[in-house]
Amino acid sequence: MIGHRAELVRAMIEAGWHPADPITLRSSLDIAASVVLDRPDPEAPVSPLYLFGRKQDLAFEQEVGSSADHRHHVRWWLTDREEDGRPFWLGGASYDRDSGLSHLTGQITHHIGPDLDAERDRLLAGLAEHGLLSGRFQLPGIGPTTSGRNAGGDPFYTDGMIDVGVLRPGEGPAG
């Protein structure tokens, strides 16, 4: 995504995404109650993922159904790159299809849906439908992955392309 932090935050909120709460004892208990009691938690925390040796700078989610058991989420990392004087963000979107035990660690976690490209496309289509993008283009990424596994052991696949959305300038104060 190309845009200032405030533009990205405002665009995500306007497109119906909720900023994820930081992981604390309270937010951890809240998400557990959401899943077990089948009640909403639209700002439930997301686990940290690391890129560039650091966890995500921003995280957002959209619930599906009545609890945090099923949800779409995206994490954003600010990069050192700029496009036309505006920050360039890398994002990772996925769909939590259910919760359970990690295939690798045995810890409680969410299991993701395997089609990462569908989540990427859904995210950008939603921003475009709300009139929040002034452009969109692709960059080559890592290339196709047909039988990947995430850190929790869930299978995934992707075309490995980087779809870039250009946020409309002024969707929030520069930041």
Side-chain angles (χ1 to χ4, degrees):
M1 194 68 63
I2 296 171
H4 295 283
R5 176 185 289 262
E7 293 169 331
L8 178 56
V9 169
R10 182 168 175 177
M12 294 297 294
I13 291 169
E14 285 186 22
W17 292 80
H18 297 274
D21 284 337
I23 295 176
T24 64
L25 176 59
R26 181 80 207 157
S27 67
S28 297
L29 292 172
D30 286 347
I31 192 173
S34 169
V35 171
V36 171
L37 301 175
D38 196 32
R39 67 179 190 208
D41 187 0
E43 291 91 24
V46 298
S47 59
L49 291 184
Y50 291 82
L51 182 65
F52 312 125
R54 60 184 170 80
K55 72 178 192 149
Q56 68 271 1
D57 296 295
L58 299 169
F60 294 87
E61 67 175 275
Q62 285 183 326
E63 282 186 325
V64 175
S66 58
S67 80
D69 194 33
H70 303 276
R71 61 185 178 164
H72 302 278
H73 56 79
V74 61
R75 295 169 178 88
W76 296 104
W77 290 265
L78 181 61
T79 72
D80 293 335
R81 179 177 173 161
E82 286 191 352
E83 293 285 328
D84 297 324
R86 297 170 75 204
F88 188 92
W89 298 79
L90 283 178
S94 60
Y95 173 68
D96 286 341
R97 61 180 172 76
D98 66 12
S99 55
L101 299 179
S102 166
H103 302 296
L104 301 176
T105 67
Q107 294 178 324
I108 296 174
T109 189
H110 278 94
H111 296 292
I112 66 165
D115 189 351
L116 300 183
D117 300 337
E119 288 302 298
R120 172 196 66 203
D121 296 343
R122 181 186 176 282
L123 168 67
L124 288 169
L127 291 167
E129 286 170 14
H130 283 84
L132 300 166
L133 298 180
S134 62
R136 184 174 171 180
F137 60 93
Q138 276 194 328
L139 296 172
I142 61 167
T145 300
T146 57
S147 58
R149 296 257 175 202
N150 72 0
D154 297 325
F156 72 87
Y157 55 89
T158 177
D159 63 13
M161 296 297 290
I162 300 171
D163 271 19
V164 181
V166 181
L167 292 169
R168 289 197 174 281
E171 291 300 325

